[in-house]
Amino acid sequence: MISEFELLAEKLNRLAEMTHTLRLENAALRRTAVDLASENKDLRERVTEAHGRVEAILAQLPNEDVKDAA
């Protein structure tokens, strides 16, 4: 009977350790998710800015119609 209690106590200790480990891992993953979301937002803004710059450059180029008329 005592060995059954010892076995149960050992399993409970392992469960507590695993729970603690998973909580730490979950917290780390949440921080990583926040960091990645922020990086993603920054990259989207950079792409939008680059798109605007490319559009502005393209707007400055002469139209094909103007080349053909000349």
Side-chain angles (χ1 to χ4, degrees):
M1 186 72 166
I2 292 176
S3 65
E4 291 177 7
F5 285 122
E6 288 173 349
L7 181 60
L8 180 59
E10 182 181 319
K11 286 181 179 181
L12 285 173
N13 283 335
R14 284 196 314 235
L15 178 61
E17 288 173 10
M18 287 173 59
T19 301
H20 178 71
T21 300
L22 290 173
R23 284 181 193 263
L24 293 175
E25 184 178 342
N26 191 31
L29 289 171
R30 286 180 191 269
R31 286 189 300 271
T32 300
V34 168
D35 291 345
L36 290 174
S38 176
E39 182 180 354
N40 190 29
K41 180 181 175 232
D42 292 343
L43 290 173
R44 284 179 188 264
E45 289 172 358
R46 290 177 61 191
V47 166
T48 300
E49 291 170 3
H51 185 267
R53 288 193 302 270
V54 169
E55 287 291 326
I57 291 170
L58 290 175
Q60 294 176 358
L61 294 177
N63 285 336
E64 291 295 319
D65 295 337
V66 173
K67 283 184 187 176
D68 293 339

